[in-house]
Amino acid sequence: MPGTRFPIRTSRPSRRLPPALALFLLGAALGGCSGGDLGRTRQDFLNDDMHRWIGAEATGSVGLRASQFQLTDNERLLRDLAFPLIEPPHSRPAWKTVFGDYRPLPSPWRQEVVFDRTAYGRILIDEPHRSHSSRYAQLMEDVRDDITRFEPFFATAVRVIDLDKKRNAALAHISELSPRERADAVGRMEENSLIVQWVQQCLERRISSYRWALERLVLQAPDGLAADADRLIGELAAQTANPPVAAQPPVVGRALSVRS
């Protein structure tokens, strides 16, 4: 019995692209977006030393020479953990954060504009929210994030500063130490010390901003959540006021404290 045959439709040509061509076009589109266009992260930043610039920015901003030594594992981790603490919270729109709008930040010693402690609170309050409680929740989440980041950063800072003390003591015993090697060693100690100071100052600024934001939330939308938020800010402030390690010499003068 002959099988049933179905006629092949030829009146309307298929608009589907061949699979190989479709994959090629998709790859080209994605490749074109990964090089820094449309706010996406530039590929030259995506490497193990992507936060190395933090040390160079810190020393360069106060007129010191950056070290040419390669980063140790602890020094690299110090810079990686420092970045989320020195980047102002909500400084980028959410869509830019998703696409990785990564860029170096100026150190506090380079900035000439006076620190605006109201910027964070104005963003928090002005952005549309379903309810005022979500603003309190966002504030508390941001403070908790900083508390969570505090211990890993300063635990790493303790190791780095302790090793720098040993490095500094060893300078007097290194045979045939060249001026360039000495300069790079001193430069790296200055970098590490300044990074700790940088984070310390940014934490003080965040606490000041958080308190301003909480005061305005209480003023505009009083809620029992204010007590929880105040407790969290106080916890972060207590940690910041008594860090596990202080920047060791050589230390450059600190920027004006913004504690409140």
Side-chain angles (χ1 to χ4, degrees):
M1 178 177 174
T4 304
R5 295 187 179 183
F6 298 94
I8 299 176
R9 297 180 180 178
T10 58
S11 59
R12 178 179 293 180
S14 173
R15 295 185 180 180
R16 275 184 146 185
L17 293 174
L21 180 57
L23 288 175
F24 173 78
L25 293 176
L26 178 61
L30 293 177
C33 294
S34 63
D37 294 335
L38 302 178
R40 290 163 175 77
T41 304
R42 284 169 32 196
Q43 293 301 304
D44 56 344
F45 275 125
L46 301 180
N47 57 72
D48 289 341
D49 285 344
M50 66 182 293
H51 294 127
R52 183 187 179 97
W53 61 267
I54 293 177
E57 167 60 23
T59 53
S61 66
V62 294
L64 298 176
R65 176 184 176 276
S67 174
Q68 298 304 306
F69 284 167
Q70 295 186 24
L71 295 174
T72 67
D73 291 343
N74 284 322
E75 289 169 345
R76 183 178 297 108
L77 181 59
L78 182 76
R79 287 150 178 77
D80 290 342
L81 295 174
F83 181 75
L85 289 170
I86 65 177
E87 184 184 39
H90 302 296
S91 59
R92 294 177 287 173
W95 70 270
K96 285 193 174 183
T97 301
V98 170
F99 286 116
D101 182 34
Y102 182 90
R103 63 187 63 188
L105 303 168
S107 79
W109 299 282
R110 192 184 297 279
Q111 295 180 11
E112 297 179 356
V113 179
V114 177
F115 166 63
D116 182 6
R117 68 189 294 250
T118 72
Y120 168 82
R122 286 187 284 105
I123 293 175
L124 180 70
I125 294 171
D126 292 345
E127 283 185 345
H129 289 76
R130 293 187 62 184
S131 69
H132 69 271
S133 61
S134 63
R135 292 180 170 90
Y136 282 101
Q138 182 64 64
L139 172 61
M140 290 189 288
E141 180 181 344
D142 292 337
V143 179
R144 286 194 193 97
D145 286 344
D146 288 345
I147 293 173
T148 301
R149 296 178 181 123
F150 187 95
E151 193 280 332
F153 172 80
F154 278 100
T156 304
V158 167
R159 294 195 298 270
V160 170
I161 297 299
D162 182 62
L163 291 171
D164 275 348
K165 291 179 182 178
K166 295 178 171 62
R167 189 203 314 253
N168 190 50
L171 287 176
H173 306 285
I174 302 296
S175 60
E176 300 179 0
L177 182 66
S178 70
R180 177 64 178 271
E181 289 175 318
R182 175 179 289 277
D184 281 333
V186 172
R188 179 51 49 80
M189 290 187 287
E190 290 171 337
E191 285 182 34
N192 295 334
S193 179
L194 286 169
I195 289 172
V196 176
Q197 291 188 48
W198 189 346
V199 169
Q200 181 77 15
Q201 292 181 46
C202 287
L203 283 170
E204 292 174 5
R205 291 182 171 187
R206 285 178 185 236
I207 293 165
S208 179
S209 295
Y210 291 150
R211 283 178 169 156
W212 188 93
L214 179 59
E215 290 169 357
R216 267 59 193 181
L217 281 175
V218 171
L219 182 65
Q220 298 185 24
D223 192 283
L225 291 171
D228 295 330
D230 184 63
R231 178 185 57 80
L232 284 172
I233 296 172
E235 180 180 345
L236 179 61
Q239 290 181 327
T240 302
N242 300 281
V245 63
Q248 300 296 316
V251 178
V252 176
R254 296 184 49 163
L256 180 65
S257 174
V258 292
R259 297 181 189 178
S260 62

